[in-house]
Each structure stands twice: as C-alpha cells, then as structure tokens.
Amino acid sequence: MSHELSRSLQPRHIFMISIGGIIGAGLFVGSSAAIAAAGPGIVLSYLITGVLVLLVMRMLAEMAISLPQVRSFTEFARAGLGPWAGFVAGWLYWYFWIVVVPVEAIAGANILHDWWPGLPPLALGLGLMAIMTGVNLMSARSYGEFEFWFSSIKVAAIIVFILLAAAYACGFTAPHGATFGNLTSHGGFMPQGGIAVLAGAVTVFFALTGAEITTVAAAESAEPARAAAKMSTSVIVRILTFYITSILLIVAIVPWDAIQVGKSPFAAALTTMGFGWASVAMQVIILTAVLSCLNSAFYVCSRVLFILAEHGDAPPSLVKVNARRVPVRSVWMSSIAGVLGLLAETQFPDTVFAFLVNASGALIVFVYMMIAFAQIRLRRVRERTGVAAPAVQMWLFPWASYAAIAGMVAILVAMSRTGQARDLYVSLVTLVVALIAYVLVRTGRAATVKSAASS
C-alpha cells in the first residue's frame, strides 16, 4: 500500500483549519489576562505580534511556491538548514501541540462539568479526546468538514460580536453615547507603561500560534503549494482583523480594570451592552472554539509524526496509512500522548503538567526562528543560482526577514525579564534534549549502515 496521504481537502477546509488552530479559548477567555496586564494598550501588543506572525507567514508562502515538494511547515527548516533542523523543528512542534491537546480537552470538560456537575472533568475530557480521535481516524475530509463548520460558528460569532460592539461603542445603541473614552479614562491608554505592552506581546504571540497549520493541511489538497501560498498571508490578515477589532471594542466598552482574569471579556462586554444571554451564549461559543482547536491539534500532531517518520526521524511504522489514506498509527500515538497529558493535568496539575507546559513555553519561537533562517538561506541560494523568482516573495528582503528574527529575539528577551522566565529556561532545556536526541539518532543510523556494509 502506498504511504501517500489523501488529496481530499478543499480550499474552504484549509482556510477554516487554520482559523481553528488559532481562535480558541486563548481569545475568548485567555485575552482577559492580557487585558488586565497591559490595559487598553494590549491592542498595540496584538498589532505588534500580528505583524511579526504575518512576516513569518509570508516567508512560508514564498518557500511553499519555491519548494512545492515540501509538505509540512517544519520541513522548510530541513530544506534550508539541513536534516538536524527538520528533526528538531518537527519534534519541538509536535511537542508544542501535544501539550495543547490536554489543555483544550480539560477546558472543554470544565464547561461541560458546569452543565452536568455529576460527571467528573476527567471522564468528560477523555470523552472529548475519544470523539476527536474518532473524527481524525475517519478521513482527512471528515476532519476538514468538522473543522469547517465548527470554525464557521466561531467566525460568525466574532462577526456578530464586532457588529454589536461597534454599534454600542460608537454610541448608536449605548444609552450615554460613544464609549471610546474608556480607552484613556482609567489610567491612560497604557496604564501599566510601555514595558507591559511589550510583555503582553509575549502572551499574544502564543495566542496567535496556529496560522502555519495552513502548510500542514495543504499537503492533503489537490494543489498543495498553491493552497499554502494563497492561504498563508490571507488567513493571518483576516485573523488579525478579528483579534484586534474585537479586543479594541472590548476595552472601549468595558473599563480595562473591570475585566476579571479567567472570565470571558466577550461575555463582560455583552453583559455591559444589556444582553442577558451573554454568559450562556459565550459558554457555547467557547466550547465550540475549544473543540475546534482540539481537533486541529490532533490533526497537526498526527501529520507531523507522519512526516517525521517519512524521513526516518520517528518509528517507520507511523507512515502506514489505511484505505482512506489516514496515518492511523500516527493518530493513535498522538491520542495516547494526549491522554497521558490529560491524566497529568488532572492528577498532577502543579507538578508534572506544570513542567510539561513550561517546557513548551518558548518552543514555537524557536521553530519560527528556524523557519526564518531557512527562508533567508534558501532565498540566497536561489538568487545565487539564478533560479526564477516565485510568484510570491518575502517583502523587503532581506530586511523584513531580519526584522522578524529580531522581533522573535525580543520576545525571548522579554520572557527572560518577566514572569515567563521559567518557561524560557525549561524550553531551552527541551531544545537541548531535542538536539541530543538528533545526535543519538544520527549516530545509531551511521552504526547501522556501517554494520550492514561490513556484513
């Protein structure tokens, strides 16, 4: 049986899959902590980080057109920097998303527990994991359809929220006129200072992670390179519009110091506008967002394992696909790892699971930086060899690429100076472990080849 994946995903699926990976509980609930830490200035944090992520996505678009044979975003690191980069980027990216799985599962379980208090969160979380495993085992198209409709609900909810909030903030439906004065009347636009805005960019950066899923899902479409290039920048622009506009309207309607950490600021804004159904409606929307993000995390983990196995960086049995072209063993391995994470989250939340989360804190920054360095090197090689330029190119090369790297370095520095310093240091340990693992794997391969040659 061929180990090729299916080509059943359509552009609408890929678009919504990318949104599914980004718009989760981090926006609907997690943004409350960011607002509380930076005040209305958090809008600048989203803008700064959004531009940075947009630059990375533009690099991916250029490489997708130039290297149509590359089928996963982590594999651009392999193409530009060598086998070690493909190994390290792939496993770090898989680890990042496998930690997301139990986080989203328990977030959904807690919502369901509020509705059915007689059922324990662990059982509910395992139930959600079972459902997502089943969806991902069916076919890529079934996963895409599931993600399309769940993401559509999220997008529709955000659009409706923006329309209602804009009408209120502009004074059309507010009893006392426009509310934009809240942006400066509670200690100023940056009440915690500019440093808090920069620190907020760190939190926002991780909330925006997921746009690169486009390049993973595009491998299962009819025209992978074209789909990846087309979606890479358009997806992030639309998402930034959703994020920045909705957060701006929230801090315009609700005084930033009235936002409660851990509570949905969207629900707070809707309540302020007089919509009594806000709490229940937001719970439904947040649950939808959580399931969507959980679904995308499952998908990414299984496909990244599949690509790693293809290159010999993971057990070779993981490349086997069933009659529907689904890498079943990769899905099951990711599911089992997710269940172990869920057990750690519910049984040892302050020890084992806290360490797992800390160890993934800065990994996505490391991976993005590898992608940026790979793009610069590949671009230099292409220009030196005289190969025709692709239809999509990085803006203002090389300065925009260098600016993206500088921005990510600034994020790491900001992490070292804030409460996320522990995350950075433990993530560095994880990076070192991945590098050591590559050396061991490479040494083992060399010994095997030498042994085979001598015999």
Side-chain angles (χ1 to χ4, degrees):
M1 179 183 291
S2 170
H3 298 319
E4 283 291 320
L5 296 173
S6 71
R7 300 283 184 176
S8 57
L9 292 180
Q10 299 177 9
R12 66 185 179 90
H13 296 138
I14 297 172
F15 176 76
M16 287 303 183
I17 285 168
S18 296
I19 289 180
I22 296 179
I23 301 178
L27 171 62
F28 291 112
V29 180
S31 54
S32 61
I35 294 172
I42 194 63
V43 175
L44 297 180
S45 302
Y46 276 96
L47 183 60
I48 293 169
T49 309
V51 170
L52 180 58
V53 175
L54 178 60
L55 292 176
V56 174
M57 293 304 296
R58 185 68 178 188
M59 293 184 214
L60 286 172
E62 177 185 300
M63 292 187 289
I65 289 292
S66 300
L67 303 169
Q69 72 277 13
V70 176
R71 297 181 300 164
S72 173
F73 117 99
T74 57
E75 288 304 296
F76 290 117
R78 186 187 303 273
L81 303 177
W84 72 269
F87 181 97
V88 172
W91 278 111
L92 292 185
Y93 192 61
W94 179 84
Y95 181 80
F96 175 87
W97 279 105
I98 207 63
V99 171
V100 170
V101 169
V103 169
E104 296 291 339
I106 204 64
N110 287 335
I111 293 174
L112 294 176
H113 181 68
D114 289 339
W115 297 347
W116 296 293
L119 298 176
L122 176 58
L124 292 169
L126 291 173
L128 294 178
M129 298 274 287
I131 293 172
M132 292 302 104
T133 301
V135 169
N136 279 271
L137 286 172
M138 290 171 64
S139 68
R141 187 176 181 86
S142 66
Y143 156 74
E145 284 295 332
F146 183 98
E147 195 56 42
F148 176 81
W149 291 109
F150 268 57
S151 292
S152 296
I153 293 172
K154 292 189 294 187
V155 171
I158 292 176
I159 291 174
V160 170
F161 174 82
I162 288 175
L163 292 175
L164 293 174
Y168 190 91
C170 292
F172 299 131
T173 57
H176 305 294
T179 62
F180 287 105
N182 283 327
L183 296 176
T184 57
S185 60
H186 293 264
F189 185 68
M190 294 187 289
Q192 310 288 9
I195 298 299
V197 171
L198 294 177
V202 177
T203 302
V204 172
F205 185 86
F206 300 112
L208 289 176
T209 299
E212 74 289 334
I213 294 176
T214 296
T215 61
V216 179
E220 297 190 68
S221 66
E223 299 178 275
R226 183 172 178 270
K230 182 179 180 182
M231 296 294 179
S232 292
T233 49
S234 63
V235 165
I236 194 63
V237 168
R238 286 171 173 80
I239 291 170
L240 285 178
T241 301
F242 292 150
Y243 263 84
I244 295 174
T245 304
S246 57
I247 296 299
L248 174 63
L249 291 171
I250 285 171
V251 292
I253 293 170
V254 184
W256 73 271
D257 49 5
I259 297 292
Q260 298 182 47
V261 177
K263 302 291 185 181
S264 173
F266 286 79
L270 288 168
T271 300
T272 300
M273 288 187 283
F275 297 104
W277 44 261
S279 179
V280 175
M282 285 310 304
Q283 277 195 316
V284 174
I285 293 169
I286 292 169
L287 178 61
T288 302
V290 164
L291 294 178
S292 173
C293 193
L294 179 60
N295 194 31
S296 288
F298 256 108
Y299 176 82
V300 171
C301 288
S302 64
R303 270 34 177 201
V304 169
L305 274 183
F306 176 85
I307 296 295
L308 286 168
E310 274 195 324
H311 290 277
D313 293 335
S317 62
L318 296 179
V319 301
K320 292 186 177 181
V321 297
N322 62 14
R324 296 182 298 277
R325 301 296 180 191
V326 175
V328 176
R329 295 184 180 181
S330 294
V331 173
W332 277 116
M333 182 172 175
S334 297
S335 178
I336 292 170
V339 168
L340 292 176
L342 183 61
L343 292 173
E345 205 280 346
T346 54
Q347 304 302 315
F348 312 101
D350 299 323
T351 52
V352 177
F353 192 70
F355 176 81
L356 294 176
V357 172
N358 290 338
S360 70
L363 297 188
I364 198 64
V365 184
F366 299 154
V367 175
Y368 275 15
M369 289 181 71
M370 292 170 68
I371 295 298
F373 280 116
Q375 185 267 333
I376 293 172
R377 186 175 183 186
L378 289 169
R379 176 72 171 263
R380 295 295 192 195
V381 171
R382 177 172 59 76
E383 292 177 343
R384 188 166 58 248
T385 55
V387 176
V392 177
Q393 297 190 75
M394 182 61 181
W395 303 299
L396 302 174
F397 182 83
W399 307 114
S401 297
Y402 291 145
I405 292 172
M408 286 181 275
V409 170
I411 284 178
L412 295 177
V413 172
M415 288 184 71
S416 69
R417 302 292 181 87
T418 65
Q420 293 178 303
R422 177 179 173 82
D423 292 7
L424 172 61
Y425 300 140
V426 181
S427 295
L428 285 170
V429 172
T430 307
L431 174 62
V432 172
V433 169
L435 290 169
I436 293 173
Y438 172 72
V439 173
L440 294 176
V441 169
R442 185 184 64 177
T443 303
R445 283 181 194 156
T448 302
V449 171
K450 184 177 180 179
S451 175
S454 61
S455 61

